[in-house]
Amino acid sequence: MAGSERTVVWFRRDLRIDDNPALASAARDGAVLPVFIWCPADEGQFYPGRCSRWWLKQSLPHLSQSLESLGCPLVLIRAESTLEALLRCIDSVGATRLVYNHLYDPVSLVRDDKIKKELSALGISIQSFNGDLLYEPWEIYDDSGLAFTTFNMYWEKCMELPIDASPSLAPWKLVPVPGLESVRSCSVDDLGLESSKDEESSNALLMRAWSPGWRNAEKMLEEFVSHGLLEYSKHGMKVEGATTSLLSPYLHFGEVSVRKVYQLVRMQQIKWENEGTSEAEESIHFFMRSIGLREYSRYLCFNFPFTHEKSLLGNLKHYPWKVDEERFKSWRQGMTGYPLVDAGMRELWATGWTHNRIRVIISSFAVKFLLIPWTWGMKYFWDVLLDADLESDILGWQYISGSLPDGHELSRLDNPEVQGQKYDPDGVYVRTWIPELARMPTEWIHHPWDAPSCILEVAGVELGFNYPKPIVDLHIARECLDDSISTMWQLDTAEKLAELDGEVVEDNLSNIKTFDIPKVVLRETSPCALPIDQRVPHASSKDHNLKSKVLKASNRSSICVDMIRSSKMEATSSVANSPVSRKRSFCETAFHVPSYSSSAEVHSHIQDHGGSLVGPSRYLLQEAGRNYVDEWSI
C-alpha cells in the first residue's frame, strides 16, 4: 500500500472501475470506502425518470461486484441528505479525505459546492477529478478570457489544445478501510429505484434491448468502433433501427469514459489511414463532433448555469409561449396527426429511446408548430429518455427553440411531411409505430390527409376517428410563428421604454409553473400501443402580467399601440388572421438588427440584459454552427 490515507470514494455518474481518476487516486494513497448515495430530495424537479432509474438499478450491482472482486464492496445508502450521509461515512471509518469526479449540471454544481465548503470547514480534505470530459469547462476561453457562445468557435479552440487521452489504469487491488462493517449499507432494492410493480413489469421490456454495466459498455464501444463507426455518417439519414453508436446512456452514467472512447476512435482512425480507407474520414468527423457537442453541453451549463430554466438569448424572455395543455398532451401521446412526429413520440414513450434525427424533429414541432415552452419539452425528455442527460437536453432544446446564438433560426419551420419523405422514404418507421397507418401506400404515408377517400377506405384509415387530423395546418403554424416573433420584438422594444421608468420585466418562462410528468407505465403489447392519459402542467394566471406591465410606457411610441392590441390576445388563441407581410415589414424596419462578431460582444449583451444573451438578429451567427444538434445523442 502506497499510503495510509483513509478515503471515501463518492460514486455518482462514474459507475466504472477503468479510467476512474477518483478511484485510482484513493487506491494509490491507502484504504478506501466506495459509496453510492441515493438522495431523491437532492434531485428536486430533475428527479430521474423511470427508464433512467432502471438503468441505474442494473448498473450498481455490476459495479459492486467489480469492486468486491478487488477487495472492497460498494456501500449503498438511501438518504434524506447527501451531506449528512457522507459525514456519517467519514465519522464511521475515521476517514480524512473525500474524492469524487466532477459533474457539471446545475443541480450537481450547487450541491457539490455546498458539500465541499461544509466538509472543508470540518478539516476534511476534498479532492475532485475530471472523469467526464476531454477538456474542463474552465480551460477553454477566447482571447479576451470570455466563454464561447457558439459551438464551432468552442470546438476549434479545443482542437488547438493537446488532449490527455490516456485513460488511467484500473486498480488491481483495493484495501478496505478499517471499520467498514460499521457503515450501514442497504440493498439495491432498498434504494427504491423502482417505485411500483407496474414499473418493474414495464422495465422488463428494457432488459431485452440493453445491458447496463461498465463491462458491457466497453463491449458496446468495441463493437461500434469495429463495425459501426465506418458507416456512422450515412446513418444520419436513417431513423429506423440501431443506426447510432448507442453509447449515450453508458456515457451518461459514466460506465465508459470519454477518454477511452476518444482513444479507441483515434486508434481506429490511424489504422484506416494506414490502410487508405478514405471513406472513413467523414464518419470520424461526424462522430468527433458528437463528442464535441457533449463537451459543449457541459461547457454551457458550467459557464451559464441559468440555461436549464432561461434562454441564453435575452430577447426570448418576451416570447409568447402558448401554455396549451391539450396540445402538449397530444404531442406527448403521439396524436398530432403528423405521422413522423407521432411515430417518434410513441417510440419515445414505449422504449425511452429515439434516433437523434427524430429527437430534433419532434422537439422542433413542439416549439415551432405548437409554440409549447421549450422547458416543458426538455422536462418531458428528462422524464422519459433512457439516456436522459440534463446538459445535453438543455443544449438540444435551447438550440431547437432558437435560444442560442448559433441555433435554429427563430423563424425556421420544418415541414414534417418533407422530413418524413427524406428520412423515412419507405414509411417503414411510421408503420412500425403507428399501426393505424400500416396499410397506407408509401405515396401517402407522410401526408394521409391528402390521400383520396378511396385510398383511406382501403387502408382502413378514418381521419379524426382512428387517426387524428393534423393538429394545426402548416400555413397556420407559419402565421402563428411569425406573429409570435413579431409580438416578441414589440415587447422587447416596450421593455426598453419601460426601463426608462425603472421597471423590472420578468422572463415569460418564469410565469409558467413547473410540473411533474407521471411515471411511465408500459404494457407488453404492440410497440405502438397508445399511452394512457397523463397529467399536464397548469398555466399560471399571471401569464399576461408581463405584457400589461410593460405597456405602461406605450404612450411613448406608436409601436407600442400596435403591441397593445396584439397583447390582448389569449395565449392559446389563433393568430392566423394577422397580416404576415405587415409583421415582417415591421420587424425589418422598426428594429436595428445587430450582429455579433466576437464573444466579447455577446457577453456585453449578457451583462446589459440581466445575464442572458439578447439581440434581434443573432441569426447572423447561424453559419457558425448550423445544424450541429442533429447529433443530439452519441
Side-chain angles (χ1 to χ4, degrees):
M1 184 169 62
S4 57
E5 193 95 55
R6 295 185 182 186
T7 304
V8 173
V9 182
W10 181 22
F11 281 90
R12 287 101 66 78
R13 292 201 296 272
D14 50 354
L15 306 180
R16 63 182 184 271
I17 302 297
D18 196 25
D19 193 26
N20 188 320
L23 178 63
S25 174
R28 283 194 306 269
D29 294 339
V32 300
L33 174 64
V35 173
F36 178 86
I37 300 170
W38 177 243
C39 181
D42 279 357
E43 306 299 334
Q45 64 171 312
F46 294 109
Y47 181 77
R50 177 188 64 86
C51 293
S52 186
R53 285 182 280 110
W54 169 83
W55 190 287
L56 181 60
K57 184 177 180 180
Q58 308 309 310
S59 185
L60 285 172
H62 190 99
L63 174 67
S64 182
Q65 290 173 8
S66 299
L67 289 170
E68 194 159 6
S69 68
L70 294 176
C72 195
L74 177 67
V75 173
L76 300 176
I77 299 174
R78 181 182 174 96
E80 296 298 323
S81 165
T82 300
L83 175 60
E84 292 179 3
L86 286 172
L87 282 171
R88 286 196 298 270
C89 290
I90 291 170
D91 291 340
S92 296
V93 299
T96 57
R97 182 172 173 239
L98 172 71
V99 297
Y100 56 87
N101 293 311
H102 297 147
L103 294 176
Y104 309 92
D105 64 273
V107 175
S108 298
L109 287 172
V110 173
R111 179 191 59 209
D112 292 358
D113 182 65
K114 177 183 177 182
I115 287 174
K116 185 174 183 178
K117 288 179 179 178
E118 293 281 349
L119 295 185
S120 295
L122 296 174
I124 305 299
S125 173
I126 309 293
Q127 191 172 6
S128 55
F129 300 85
N130 176 15
D132 190 51
L133 297 173
L134 296 175
Y135 307 94
E136 290 284 25
W138 49 85
E139 295 174 349
I140 312 296
Y141 292 103
D142 66 11
D143 294 338
S144 301
L146 299 174
F148 289 101
T149 53
T150 61
F151 170 70
N152 276 357
M153 295 185 204
Y154 162 80
W155 195 232
E156 286 172 8
K157 181 69 173 181
C158 289
M159 293 295 95
E160 295 174 1
L161 301 176
I163 299 178
D164 180 14
S166 301
S168 58
L169 296 176
W172 65 274
K173 182 181 179 181
L174 294 175
V175 177
V177 293
L180 174 62
E181 63 281 355
S182 64
V183 181
R184 186 175 179 181
S185 179
C186 68
S187 69
V188 69
D189 288 331
D190 291 337
L191 292 179
L193 296 173
E194 288 179 318
S195 57
S196 67
K197 291 295 183 182
D198 285 336
E199 282 196 353
E200 290 182 19
S201 60
S202 299
N203 290 341
L205 302 176
L206 298 175
M207 188 66 76
R208 299 178 184 178
W210 299 93
S211 299
W214 73 275
R215 289 195 183 277
N216 294 322
E218 293 189 346
K219 293 176 183 177
M220 181 71 77
L221 173 60
E222 292 169 1
E223 176 73 14
F224 168 71
V225 172
S226 299
H227 304 290
L229 180 57
L230 187 61
E231 301 291 321
Y232 185 77
S233 62
K234 297 179 182 179
H235 290 165
M237 300 296 289
K238 301 177 183 178
V239 296
E240 77 278 0
T243 55
T244 66
S245 71
L246 304 180
L247 290 174
S248 52
Y250 296 102
L251 281 166
H252 170 75
F253 286 100
E255 295 173 333
V256 65
S257 74
V258 71
R259 279 190 295 263
K260 188 156 191 175
V261 174
Y262 179 85
Q263 183 190 52
L264 288 186
V265 170
R266 283 288 292 137
M267 290 172 63
Q268 187 67 43
Q269 181 182 22
I270 294 170
K271 177 184 175 182
W272 282 334
E273 288 174 352
N274 292 336
E275 295 173 349
T277 311
S278 58
E279 62 268 25
E281 183 177 347
E282 186 178 11
S283 288
I284 294 288
H285 171 74
F286 275 106
F287 184 75
M288 289 311 300
R289 280 179 64 85
S290 297
I291 294 294
L293 287 168
R294 183 179 182 276
E295 299 270 316
Y296 187 55
S297 70
R298 274 82 177 142
Y299 181 83
L300 277 184
C301 280
F302 180 81
N303 287 287
F304 304 101
F306 58 84
T307 48
H308 66 294
E309 57 187 1
K310 291 184 179 180
S311 301
L312 191 64
L313 289 170
N315 55 269
L316 266 294
K317 73 179 181 180
H318 300 305
Y319 194 81
W321 301 106
K322 287 193 175 181
V323 185
D324 191 324
E325 300 174 1
E326 288 303 313
R327 284 190 170 191
F328 182 55
K329 184 170 72 172
S330 296
W331 175 74
R332 294 195 321 269
Q333 293 180 334
M335 296 292 286
T336 69
Y338 286 90
L340 187 64
V341 174
D342 292 342
M345 294 306 296
R346 296 186 192 188
E347 181 188 27
L348 175 62
W349 174 272
T351 69
W353 177 268
T354 60
H355 187 280
N356 306 329
R357 179 66 60 177
I358 292 296
R359 298 187 194 199
V360 172
I361 290 170
I362 61 181
S363 59
S364 179
F365 186 89
V367 298
K368 298 299 180 67
F369 269 73
L370 305 181
L371 304 181
I372 291 171
W374 65 265
T375 50
W376 285 16
M378 183 193 73
K379 182 60 166 60
Y380 183 72
F381 268 31
W382 171 257
D383 285 341
V384 299
L385 276 172
L386 184 74
D387 61 342
D389 185 89
L390 186 55
E391 298 96 324
S392 295
D393 287 343
I394 288 171
L395 175 64
W397 281 92
Q398 290 243 6
Y399 176 88
I400 293 301
S401 65
S403 301
L404 297 178
D406 56 348
H408 277 183
E409 297 94 332
L410 193 57
S411 60
R412 173 171 169 174
L413 191 73
D414 294 325
N415 187 338
E417 176 187 342
V418 174
Q419 291 174 317
Q421 293 168 351
K422 182 177 181 181
Y423 300 114
D424 186 31
D426 298 324
V428 174
Y429 179 73
V430 166
R431 291 188 183 94
T432 299
W433 294 103
I434 307 182
E436 306 97 293
L437 303 180
R439 292 189 291 167
M440 280 294 293
T442 300
E443 179 183 359
W444 308 103
I445 190 70
H446 292 296
H447 55 119
W449 54 86
D450 289 330
S453 57
C454 60
I455 296 293
L456 292 173
E457 184 177 357
V458 171
V461 176
E462 186 175 349
L463 295 179
F465 179 70
N466 63 349
Y467 186 70
K469 296 177 180 180
I471 192 171
V472 58
D473 291 336
L474 178 63
H475 75 281
I476 296 295
R478 173 78 270 169
E479 292 187 357
C480 288
L481 181 60
D482 287 341
D483 185 83
S484 296
I485 294 171
S486 177
T487 300
M488 179 190 74
W489 291 127
Q490 293 173 34
L491 290 170
D492 188 65
T493 297
E495 178 193 12
K496 293 178 175 61
L497 297 173
E499 286 175 350
L500 298 177
D501 293 332
E503 296 190 36
V504 178
V505 181
E506 292 184 71
D507 192 317
N508 272 359
L509 287 174
S510 66
N511 290 323
I512 299 174
K513 292 183 179 180
T514 57
F515 60 94
D516 294 323
I517 299 296
K519 312 302 178 288
V520 182
V521 178
L522 303 181
R523 309 300 179 190
E524 192 164 355
T525 57
S526 67
C528 22
L530 294 182
I532 58 175
D533 196 12
Q534 300 172 319
R535 287 176 293 166
V536 293
H538 296 287
S540 170
S541 61
K542 300 180 180 179
D543 282 341
H544 296 291
N545 285 358
L546 167 64
K547 295 182 180 179
S548 61
K549 188 174 184 179
V550 169
L551 295 180
K552 293 179 181 179
S554 61
N555 60 340
R556 300 194 180 192
S557 172
S558 61
I559 292 176
C560 295
V561 175
D562 291 335
M563 185 267 296
I564 290 173
R565 293 167 183 158
S566 65
S567 70
K568 291 180 180 179
M569 296 184 296
E570 292 294 329
T572 57
S573 66
S574 171
V575 290
N577 296 324
S578 300
V580 177
S581 59
R582 175 183 62 79
K583 291 179 292 185
R584 287 175 177 162
S585 175
F586 176 87
C587 289
E588 290 169 359
T589 59
F591 297 97
H592 170 63
V593 180
S595 63
Y596 305 133
S597 60
S598 67
S599 295
E601 291 186 32
V602 174
H603 280 267
S604 69
H605 284 289
I606 296 177
Q607 295 172 355
D608 292 342
H609 293 83
S612 297
L613 300 179
V614 69
S617 58
R618 85 285 180 281
Y619 309 129
L620 298 181
L621 278 175
Q622 303 295 336
E623 297 304 322
R626 188 181 303 278
N627 293 334
Y628 64 75
V629 178
D630 289 347
E631 305 93 25
W632 193 310
S633 65
I634 296 173

